[in-house]
Amino acid sequence: MTLPADAELFSPYDLGSLRLKNRLVMAPMTRSRAVEDNLANPLAATYYAQRAGAGLIISEATQVSPQGVGYIRTPGIHLPEQVAAWREVTKAVHKAGGAIFAQLWHVGRVSHPEFHGGALPVAPSAIAGEGEVYISTGRVPLGVPRALETDEIPGIIEDFRKAALNACEAGFDGVEIHGSSGYLLDQFLRDGSNIRTDQYGGSIENRARFPLEIAAAVAGAIGADRVGYRVGPNLNIHGMKDSDPKATFTYLAGELDKLGLVYLHVAEPIAGPTALPPEVERIAPHLRKVFTRGLILNGGYDVDLGEAAVSSGTADLVAYGVPFLANPDLPERFRQGAALNAPDFTSFYATENGDAVGYIDYPTL
């Protein structure tokens, strides 16, 4: 379908003080192409600049500390060399007329001792996640993590605060806090992974305390109008579950709104192979009622569903993942109603064929 020139999806949007040229967001996607010392690959400058037609790019997940690592060849933003590598990326994006946020990440229990000198990964509670993790020898099952001591938590909050400052130093326009997909903040929030008995466990208010303290620290460091937060209320990846996701995530969203965060990014598939079954209640409409600034929806949207979400007021922006991966010029293809490139699933992550393959070699119109 070719949308009219005045389609809402192509209209500008004011995200805090940042003027976005359209409502299309490039979703954060891990590509496993970082180089030695968890530096962003030099090719990343080309990769992201190719996709600067998006109103906003959200970078691949980026570790706030060595403890936050859980995947091979993923970048960090806690060392000066990492900041310098990311600066080349943001320069390229800005030169191409784009805007880019860094996604700040700590994987928690979704990790392996190989990444931590033999030490156990950390989590709110000593409960193993479900699934596997990819290490140097291949895929291995997730193990039982170590429960964080209460006095360790302020140090992780400080890691996020410093990472946000580093992101700004690297030239990012803002940051997104990764509170989704079964990683550390998500683990604290949900009662299926958090059985703590201190002030960070038990009630919804206590389980949300750690994510909210991180959000407050990051907003205090760089300004709330440069901070977004991502949630996945119905994403059960890595064995995540919660007894009352509607209550849990509505509370979190309301408190994030009080902090003045510029957007809430909700991953909740509505189409495609991972779409929620009809009997599962969608949480995003409830979050829309309590979060008063930008709402980004992500999960199976095509051009028509994206336009419908924005024009109806269901969302302010729509995030696209795989479509942007395979189509550097996705907004222009949507404008023209042009066919989309088919994604090559075998090269989503780095292969022996080289980092460029499946990364910067998709054709434009």
Side-chain angles (χ1 to χ4, degrees):
M1 175 181 176
T2 303
L3 294 180
D6 61 351
E8 289 295 324
L9 198 57
F10 304 137
S11 65
Y13 181 77
D14 291 325
L15 189 73
S17 60
L18 197 62
R19 181 76 163 175
L20 306 184
K21 56 193 171 189
N22 58 53
R23 309 295 185 99
L24 284 84
V25 176
M26 178 180 168
M29 290 176 283
T30 290
R31 303 302 308 274
S32 291
R33 283 170 166 83
V35 295
E36 189 175 358
D37 296 325
N38 299 105
L39 303 183
N41 194 309
L43 294 176
T46 300
Y47 168 69
Y48 285 112
Q50 286 176 339
R51 290 152 178 84
L56 176 67
I57 295 171
I58 305 172
S59 82
E60 62 209 88
T62 306
Q63 296 111 19
V64 300
S65 69
Q67 188 191 63
V69 179
Y71 295 80
I72 60 172
R73 296 194 68 183
T74 49
I77 195 161
H78 51 87
L79 296 175
E81 312 91 88
Q82 295 167 346
V83 172
W86 276 120
R87 189 176 294 117
E88 297 306 309
V89 174
T90 62
K91 283 181 183 177
V93 170
H94 291 148
K95 184 177 180 180
I100 184 168
F101 273 35
Q103 191 186 58
L104 305 184
W105 191 32
H106 190 307
V107 301
R109 71 185 186 182
V110 187
S111 189
H112 188 275
E114 177 178 283
F115 298 115
H116 309 291
L120 289 174
V122 299
S125 304
I127 301 172
E130 296 177 6
E132 297 176 320
V133 62
Y134 196 90
I135 61 174
S136 60
T137 56
R139 293 185 179 275
V140 296
L142 289 170
V144 178
R146 173 180 69 83
L148 282 162
E149 299 292 337
T150 306
D151 62 7
E152 294 179 278
I153 290 175
I156 298 177
I157 296 169
E158 177 64 8
D159 289 337
F160 273 86
R161 190 188 74 84
K162 287 181 177 177
L165 291 170
N166 286 345
C168 291
E169 184 181 343
F172 284 100
D173 298 294
V175 302
E176 175 178 284
I177 299 169
H178 198 342
S180 177
S181 305
Y183 299 123
L184 186 64
L185 279 68
D186 204 18
Q187 293 161 27
F188 266 85
L189 182 65
R190 301 209 226 182
D191 58 18
S193 48
N194 182 347
I195 57 171
R196 299 177 72 93
T197 57
D198 63 1
Q199 66 265 40
Y200 292 98
S203 67
I204 293 174
E205 292 80 4
N206 280 357
R207 299 196 314 273
R209 188 184 307 277
F210 178 55
L212 290 171
E213 286 180 344
I214 286 175
V218 170
I222 67 171
D225 67 342
R226 301 179 73 183
V227 182
Y229 194 101
R230 179 177 165 104
V231 296
N234 282 309
L235 294 183
N236 297 322
I237 186 172
H238 302 131
M240 295 302 296
K241 56 183 179 293
D242 189 80
S243 60
D244 191 349
K246 176 182 173 182
T248 297
F249 285 90
T250 300
Y251 173 78
L252 177 71
E255 294 301 305
L256 291 172
D257 188 65
K258 292 176 185 177
L259 291 174
L261 266 59
V262 74
Y263 74 73
L264 183 66
H265 184 179
V266 185
E268 195 169 57
I270 66 165
T274 61
L276 297 178
E279 65 272 15
V280 176
E281 182 181 17
R282 292 185 62 233
I283 308 299
H286 300 288
L287 308 186
R288 182 61 156 169
K289 296 174 183 176
V290 299
F291 193 85
T292 60
R293 278 168 292 281
L295 185 73
I296 303 174
L297 294 184
N298 171 237
Y301 287 83
D302 59 14
V303 63
D304 297 330
L305 290 171
E307 173 63 15
V310 174
S311 62
S312 68
T314 303
D316 297 300
L317 305 111
V318 178
Y320 295 86
V322 171
F324 253 121
L325 181 156
N327 298 274
D329 54 349
L330 185 67
E332 189 58 32
R333 288 176 186 262
F334 278 177
R335 286 181 194 276
Q336 296 187 27
L340 301 184
N341 296 324
D344 174 13
F345 292 90
T346 67
S347 62
F348 276 13
Y349 308 106
T351 70
E352 64 276 4
N353 296 323
D355 290 351
V357 176
Y359 191 54
I360 60 170
D361 58 353
Y362 281 102
T364 56
L365 289 174

